[in-house]
Structure formats: C-alpha cells, structure tokens
Amino acid sequence: MAFYLEEMLALANWGGSNTGEILRIATQVVPQDFESFYEGCYYMAEQIFAIAEGVDATKDPVSAREAYFHAATYYRGADFFLHGNQSDPRLISLWDQQLTAFNRANALLEIPGVRFSVPAHSEEIGDYESIGIFYAAYPDDRATPTILISGGYDSSQEEGYHSQCHQILSRGVNCVTYEGPGHPSVRRQQNIGFISDWWTVAKPIVDLLGTLPQVDMSKLALAGMSFGGSLAPIAASGDDRYSAVIAIDGMFSVRQAFEEQFPPKVVALFNASKVAEFDEVMNEVITNATIPTSLRWVVGYGLWAFDTLSPFDWFTRLGQITMNETLVAKLHMPVFVAKGQDDLSTEQEPEIAYEMLTTGRPNGKDLTYYHQFNTSLGAGEHCSLGADSQLWQVTMDWLSGVWGDWTYANNPATS
C-alpha cells in the first residue's frame, strides 16, 4: 500500500497530484485494510473534483485542469485495491469517474490529447480494439519524432500522461499512450484479459500513426514500463517499423519474477499441475488480511487483468507472455533496458533480458544498452519511481544517439 501511495505522490512532479493531498490520504489508510485505502482516496477525489467543477475554466483553465488531473489520480487510487472482488461495481463506477475527470483536464491542455480506437485481431481472442491517446508536441503538422508507450501489469494510460508523456513532450517529441487487452480501460470496456501475441495490439496503432503528417515514421520508438517493458519487445518482434525499443524495468518473464517471491510450496503445486490445490491456496491469499498486501494484490489483480477466476489459469497465461529466443532473433533495432538498483519486484529479470538481447541476435551487444538507476541518487525504485527526470534524461539521451544525435526542443507547450 505504501508503494502505491508513493506512486501517486510521484505524479506530483508533473501535475498528477498534490503532495499535501497524498499525505492526507496516507493518514487515513489502515495497514492491510484495502477498504481504508478506497475511502481515503475516494473522499479526496470527490472533494478535489468538486473544486474543479467550481472553477470557471474560461477565466482560470490552469486551476480547473490541475484539480481535474488530481481528482482523476485519486479516483484511480480508490480503485486500486478492489480487484480481489471482480463483481464489485466500484471497479466500473470509479473508472468512469476517473475518465470523466481526466478528459475534462485533457480538454484544458494547450494541445489536448486525441483519443483513438483501432480494430485489431488476435489469434488468441479474435477481434478487439486497441485504444490510445495521441499527444502532439506541436499544434501544426510538422513531422516529429514519436514515442509509442504503454504501462504494465496495472498502470493506465491516463497515469502515463504525467509519468511519461510530460517529459517526452517537453523535448518536442510526440507521445502516444496505448492500451491493449488486460490494461485497465480495455479490460473494463471489452472484457478481455492480457494476451501473448502483443504485436497485434501495437501493429494497427503504428498503421494509424503512419497516416498522420505529425509523425516522423523514421523516428518512431516503442516503449514500455514495468510489465510493459516485456510487452514492448514482444510487440517489436512482429513489426520492423520501430527505430528503437525501450524496456524500462523490462523483464524476461514476469511469472518467473513472481515465482521467486512466492513460497516454494506454492510454486511446487503449480509445477506439479495440481490445479485445484493451487487455486485453493491462491484464493485464500486474496482474502486473508494477514498475508502481505503486495502478494494479495498481485494475485487478485492478476485474476482480474487476465479475466479469469482461476489462479492456475492466470499463472499459466502469465508465463506465456515472455521473451524467448525466437522472439529476440526478430529484434533488429536498438533496445534500451533499464533497472532500478533496489527494485525488488523484478528480481534479476532485466539482467536476464539484457543477456538474451546481447547474445540472441546478430550484433546484439552493439544493439543493446543496459542502464542501472542508482539508489544513492533516489532513482533505485521500480521504474525509478519519483526520479522520473533522471530516467528520461538517460533514456532520451540514448534515443538521441539512435536518431543520429537528434537535438531536442525546449518545448513549453506541455500544459
């Protein structure tokens, strides 16, 4: 629970929350009590949304925009720990509220993001829609470098505006957030969970970007954060149009990282294909308040994100979303792999991914760059949480080199 409070707090760096508001929420949270987290966040969300509604946005768009953005973050926070009960109606109502708040804030940006939806098809689930938001760095149609980016296991594209796009746009680069099956809005609106053929999510979006005059397709990078750092290489393995791939805390296998944190007896049940026993143990994890919050959340949220009621099914399908030799051999572009020094959630997965990328493809050592963000500088958390400036300074400097020593703009049009 503390980590998600930190995650919301970090959004204050780029207009997604206020420090005092988060600290107040923290005083209302009872350890291991998911309902107290909901109550603290929801109260704050409602109050800040009311403030936004009371502002005359024609006279003071900044105040209205900031309050709406903050309210959206707190509505997402209220939702975060509720997924252990998949029938909880608040999973829908809270998301509708966060979308309303975010969309009202977005409309007050100097260059509002444009939402889009494109048809996609997966061999696993059939037809569905990939969704996203296109944030243009400039108001005209000049062809501009572009980063297409997704979150991971749980993060939304709305959160990504603050934690990712603000830094990207400030350098005069377009930022395109996207979601596919299993991501928060797609899971709710289309009732589909994560899939392994992730290239089917990104490909139709790249097709769309290729039709836009604002996008310089020779400088299109694909990025992913956390679990998204696994999804990005998978997507790029099915599409050669990316100039670079960025895997922030990218993992060879998320399931492998989880296995290293689960009790050995539980892992043994899974490996022995004892479906009923594994399901019983893991379902007990979700409802037992004496079990560490992080483990309860990982399992409960995972079942919801994969649209299943069976922990064995969730863990099986999670293991299918992984880097492998065949996939890596198809990655012909430069790849950036990053890790926070003290990121306990990823274990050694980024190092494994780096090793595979360097040895599993021609010229892999020259095409792969690894960077550790250090705890001594405050950047050693998962995805360098709270030290976004350091993360994007290093990432964008590397990307400039990939793009022929591209010189970034000092773009004020990010608010």
Side-chain angles (χ1 to χ4, degrees), residues 147 221-225 228-229 232-233 244-248 334-336 392 395 398-399:
I147 297 178
L222 179 66
M225 311 290 290
V245 173
I246 299 163
I248 304 300
V335 180
F336 178 98
W392 287 107
T395 303
W398 173 82
L399 194 54

Side-chain angles (χ1 to χ4, degrees), residues 86-108:
Q86 296 190 34
S87 63
D88 192 327
R90 292 174 295 179
L91 296 178
I92 302 300
S93 62
L94 287 168
W95 209 253
D96 288 343
Q97 288 178 285
Q98 86 90 14
L99 287 174
T100 295
F102 186 90
N103 288 340
R104 291 183 185 179
N106 175 61
L108 296 171

Side-chain angles (χ1 to χ4, degrees), residues 85-164:
N85 176 8
Q86 296 190 34
S87 63
D88 192 327
R90 292 174 295 179
L91 296 178
I92 302 300
S93 62
L94 287 168
W95 209 253
D96 288 343
Q97 288 178 285
Q98 86 90 14
L99 287 174
T100 295
F102 186 90
N103 288 340
R104 291 183 185 179
N106 175 61
L108 296 171
L109 290 172
E110 185 170 336
I111 308 175
V114 178
R115 289 189 182 270
F116 63 84
S117 176
V118 292
H121 179 83
S122 162
E123 292 299 319
E124 294 181 23
I125 61 172
D127 295 336
Y128 65 95
E129 299 276 327
S130 298
I131 66 172
I133 307 175
F134 182 95
Y135 298 97
Y138 301 104
D140 53 41
D141 285 347
R142 75 185 76 175
T144 303
T146 301
I147 297 178
L148 175 63
I149 187 166
S150 81
Y153 194 67
D154 60 88
S155 54
S156 69
Q157 62 175 340
E158 288 78 26
E159 177 186 335
Y161 170 74
H162 306 290
S163 59
Q164 301 146 25

Side-chain angles (χ1 to χ4, degrees), residues 6-54:
E6 184 182 351
E7 190 170 320
M8 291 195 297
L9 182 62
L11 298 184
N13 290 334
W14 317 112
S17 66
N18 246 349
T19 302
E21 293 161 5
I22 298 297
L23 293 178
R24 178 58 187 170
I25 291 172
T27 68
Q28 306 305 300
V29 175
V30 178
Q32 298 184 308
D33 183 348
F34 289 169
E35 281 296 320
S36 72
F37 201 97
Y38 157 77
E39 291 167 0
C41 287
Y42 190 69
Y43 174 82
M44 188 63 71
E46 290 281 83
Q47 300 306 308
I48 301 303
F49 185 82
I51 290 174
E53 292 283 87

Side-chain angles (χ1 to χ4, degrees), residues 191-208:
N191 290 318
I192 47 179
F194 278 110
I195 55 176
S196 63
D197 53 348
W198 198 255
W199 52 87
T200 69
V201 179
K203 255 188 173 182
I205 297 176
V206 177
D207 292 342
L208 173 65

Side-chain angles (χ1 to χ4, degrees), residues 262-315:
F262 287 176
K265 286 195 274 190
V266 174
V267 177
L269 288 175
F270 178 79
N271 290 336
S273 296
K274 294 181 181 284
V275 178
E277 293 92 331
F278 183 82
D279 282 356
E280 182 180 0
V281 170
M282 297 306 261
N283 281 323
E284 169 66 17
V285 165
I286 298 171
T287 58
N288 189 339
T290 66
I291 289 173
T293 298
S294 58
L295 182 56
R296 291 170 58 202
W297 175 82
V298 159
V299 179
Y301 190 89
L303 294 182
W304 179 83
F306 279 77
D307 191 22
T308 183
L309 296 175
S310 166
F312 190 89
D313 179 53
W314 155 64
F315 216 49

